[in-house]
Amino acid sequence: MYQQNINNYLHQYGFESMRLKAVLFDMDGVLFDSMPMHAQAWAEAARQVGFDLTAEEAYEHEGRTGKGTINILARRCWGREATEQEELDIYEAKSRVFNSLPPAPKMPGAEEVLSRVKADGLKIVLVTGSGQLSLLDKLNRNYAGYFHRDLMVTSFDVKQGKPSPEPYLMGLRKAGIQPWEALVVENAPLGVRAGVAAQIFTIAVNTGPLPDEKLLSQGAHLLLPSMQALADAWPILYQEMR
Ligand code: MG
């Protein structure tokens, strides 16, 4: 059922076959339905400094570091880079709005995906651009028993955020595996680009408001409409990739 997607992937990178050993999960928009809050917080913080950023455009920057997003807006709206102080102030304003919003709910279907992946004996790796200090606590509260400190890549581990392949390459290293032994699960265009650049089979789950084309044009090897759809597809997908 997914053989054509797999063959296209293998051909693209010149790999012989897949032997799945781990799944690399993005967090926001994949494990948590948190993107509406992040987008709202970005739009509000941007408005305070005169950036013309809509919540919808914020989805297109998902995966960038805060600094990366702020400088794209500063160049566009101010015609110059933001100073380091401005970067700090704007990011703090964004965080303040975000933290005032209710905590993000778990993404429907995500726990079922994790449970199936774990039952098949695969490693579960987190690869997020987030830099929340209590990340592991939050994950363990919501998804007990799936995540481990030594299999997490966060903004503290990398120099370049997505769309650089660096976070996903580091995820492979931490799991001790090769690109054809992994899967990436991503919801954002820049995250898809990062997974594809790391030469990993990248599944885009379109959990947000962007058109599918935004994810496909970044090279997603398979597009699904939700995490529940991935949970439903998992048994066949795994059979064809093991
Ligand atoms: Mg995401």
Side-chain angles (χ1 to χ4, degrees):
M1 199 171 167
Y2 302 105
Q3 209 54 57
Q4 193 58 53
N5 303 73
I6 296 168
N7 287 343
N8 290 345
Y9 162 77
L10 294 172
H11 181 76
Q12 181 180 354
Y13 301 106
F15 297 151
E16 265 181 33
S17 61
M18 290 189 72
R19 279 191 76 85
L20 201 57
K21 292 182 179 167
V23 182
L24 281 55
F25 289 93
D26 171 49
M27 184 175 74
D28 289 299
V30 168
L31 300 175
F32 294 98
D33 194 4
S34 44
M35 277 313 296
M37 289 84 158
H38 282 294
Q40 187 186 333
W42 271 116
E44 174 59 25
R47 196 188 54 77
Q48 291 171 12
V49 293
F51 289 160
D52 61 345
L53 175 77
T54 59
E56 194 189 37
E57 187 194 333
Y59 280 91
E60 303 202 30
H61 295 292
E62 184 189 350
R64 282 192 213 286
T65 60
K67 182 188 160 94
T69 301
I70 289 163
N71 272 304
I72 285 173
L73 296 170
R75 282 194 294 272
R76 185 172 85 203
C77 302
W78 296 344
R80 62 169 176 83
E81 297 273 313
T83 65
E84 241 172 77
Q85 191 58 50
E86 286 166 339
E87 283 168 11
L88 289 171
D89 291 347
I90 297 168
Y91 195 70
E92 196 188 301
K94 185 260 169 180
S95 300
R96 211 178 308 124
V97 180
F98 182 76
N99 290 328
S100 74
L101 299 171
K106 291 159 74 165
M107 184 64 77
E111 179 137 33
E112 194 178 331
V113 173
L114 291 171
S115 155
R116 289 176 182 269
V117 168
K118 189 177 178 182
D120 284 329
L122 305 179
K123 286 183 181 172
I124 291 172
V125 185
L126 183 82
V127 180
T128 179
S130 174
Q132 297 171 52
L133 288 165
S134 54
L135 210 61
L136 189 57
D137 289 342
K138 177 179 151 182
L139 283 165
N140 284 336
R141 260 198 319 278
N142 287 278
Y143 296 108
Y146 293 111
F147 294 94
H148 302 280
R149 190 174 297 281
D150 53 349
L151 290 179
M152 287 174 57
V153 178
T154 73
S155 72
F156 299 110
D157 297 302
V158 296
K159 287 200 180 66
Q160 295 172 299
K162 304 165 187 177
S164 160
E166 184 192 10
Y168 281 114
L169 293 174
M170 186 170 290
L172 293 177
R173 265 202 305 282
K174 288 196 176 194
I177 56 171
Q178 299 296 322
W180 59 86
E181 297 173 321
L183 267 186
V184 161
V185 182
E186 262 289 351
N187 70 303
L190 299 178
V192 168
R193 199 198 301 180
V196 168
Q199 306 195 331
I200 305 169
F201 189 104
T202 299
I203 299 177
V205 284
N206 195 356
T207 62
L210 297 178
D212 288 348
E213 182 48 33
K214 294 266 184 191
L215 295 161
L216 291 169
S217 64
Q218 299 297 334
H221 299 106
L222 175 64
L223 179 87
L224 294 169
S226 64
M227 286 297 278
Q228 188 58 55
L230 177 56
D232 297 342
W234 182 261
I236 292 172
L237 197 59
Y238 177 58
Q239 202 179 343
E240 296 184 358
M241 289 183 170
R242 57 187 302 178

